[in-house]
Amino acid sequence: MLVDRFAGVWSVDRAILDARARLEGHLVGTAQFEPTDDGALAYVETGVLTFGGDVRPAGRRLLLRDAGGRAVDVLFADGRPFYRFDLVDDRWAGEHACGEDTYSVAGHFLGADRFEEVWHAVGPRKDYRLTTAYRRSAP
């Protein structure tokens, strides 16, 4: 299955640049892609976020599901659609509209045990970039 490429535990190192607020931040943590009973991968991220003078725990949950061919559907943890991407030559891109704001992502594998994603959110309420490096943890 296509989503198996992501299976496992990964370290997460995310740089945050909020152009509108003129703030920089950082998240360090782990991401676990765990198989579910229905063939999807549950993405569970936990970490520590440093942003705007605050330091606090942070996390998120998503689901990745093969959508046929090279396509992968990414869903919110409750099953609502988030975005779809095609994994072609170890690269992918996707987009999610949220009201008047648009979130776009571009990612690529840097080998079997590393990948990077860059998110850019723009619109009347958003202007930030998230650059995340993932490294597969040793078994």
Side-chain angles (χ1 to χ4, degrees):
M1 294 180 74
L2 186 63
V3 296
D4 289 341
R5 181 82 190 266
F6 295 92
V9 178
W10 302 76
S11 66
V12 175
D13 187 357
R14 179 173 299 132
I16 304 162
L17 176 59
D18 187 326
R20 183 160 292 142
R22 296 185 178 169
L23 293 173
E24 293 183 20
H26 194 233
L27 181 131
V28 176
T30 60
Q32 189 160 352
F33 291 85
E34 302 174 336
T36 63
D37 291 340
D38 64 356
L41 283 180
Y43 174 90
V44 179
E45 179 182 289
T46 58
V48 175
L49 174 66
T50 303
F51 190 74
D54 292 333
V55 177
R56 64 178 177 262
R60 65 181 174 156
R61 294 176 177 268
L62 300 169
L63 290 169
L64 280 73
R65 197 177 300 284
D66 276 326
R70 297 178 179 176
V72 175
D73 284 331
V74 180
L75 312 168
F76 291 107
D78 64 5
R80 289 177 298 126
F82 185 16
Y83 68 100
R84 174 177 276 187
F85 68 85
D86 289 326
L87 183 60
V88 178
D89 297 327
D90 288 339
R91 297 185 172 280
W92 62 93
E95 192 171 277
H96 171 74
C98 183
E100 296 177 350
D101 299 318
T102 301
Y103 295 73
S104 59
V105 62
H108 63 280
F109 277 98
L110 302 163
D113 297 325
R114 292 181 31 211
F115 72 92
E116 179 180 87
E117 278 190 333
V118 178
W119 280 93
H120 193 199
V122 294
R125 293 181 307 276
K126 309 279 190 213
D127 187 2
Y128 66 82
R129 181 177 304 273
L130 308 174
T131 303
T132 307
Y134 294 84
R135 279 192 187 271
R136 191 182 306 271
S137 299

